[in-house]
Amino acid sequence: QVQLVESGGGSVQAGGSLRLSCRVSASTSSAICLGWFRQGPGKEREGVALIDGMLRNTEYANSVKGRFTISEDKNTLYLQMSGLKVEDTAMYYCAADRSARCRITDTASFPTFRYWGQGTQVTVSS
């Protein structure tokens, strides 16, 4: 069982920055895949970024490349968000899985995660 607790959401103007944190009840420097997802109003949940706890590889959805950075340190997962846009408004969730192949597929699909946090809201205004 892995427990995850997000924090750091809030309201920001377009162009601003926020850093989300996710406390993980397991070692983030191990054979574990960690990810950030989001669900905007009226939209389906979508993957944002992945990090492989062992290999340290990171991958990003095309919509956030160059603006968001995923990292982990001492059992905390982070998502540094810069250049925020109104369309980044969403509930953001962190997720973990010990068995997932920690890669985005050629069809831009994210792996399936077993463990999820409760979410933290990010609102970007124009």
Side-chain angles (χ1 to χ4, degrees):
Q1 185 81 5
V2 178
Q3 295 178 326
L4 304 105
V5 179
E6 300 99 334
S7 61
S11 297
V12 64
Q13 288 194 320
S17 300
L18 276 177
R19 188 176 79 158
L20 306 183
S21 300
C22 173
R23 184 161 43 88
V24 184
S25 69
S27 172
T28 55
S29 300
S30 65
I32 191 167
C33 182
L34 302 163
W36 285 99
F37 289 75
R38 67 185 182 186
Q39 186 166 15
K43 298 180 180 179
E44 293 186 355
R45 188 175 63 193
E46 62 176 354
V48 175
L50 298 175
I51 184 167
D52 187 309
M54 186 68 74
L55 300 177
R56 325 300 289 172
N57 296 338
T58 58
E59 295 199 23
Y60 298 90
N62 288 333
S63 58
V64 306
K65 277 182 183 176
R67 300 187 299 123
F68 290 11
T69 302
I70 188 172
S71 63
E72 62 80 22
D73 185 46
K74 297 182 175 67
N75 298 349
T76 300
L77 179 68
Y78 299 99
L79 185 68
Q80 178 67 48
M81 306 184 292
S82 303
L84 282 161
K85 306 175 181 180
V86 172
E87 52 264 42
D88 293 320
T89 295
M91 184 72 78
Y92 283 72
Y93 301 89
C94 60
D97 196 282
R98 298 185 189 279
S99 304
R101 185 169 182 265
C102 210
R103 297 293 306 274
I104 300 173
T105 69
D106 292 342
T107 55
S109 293
F110 276 62
T112 299
F113 285 80
R114 180 173 181 182
Y115 304 106
W116 293 84
Q118 82 290 350
T120 186
Q121 178 68 37
V122 172
T123 302
V124 184
S125 58
S126 58

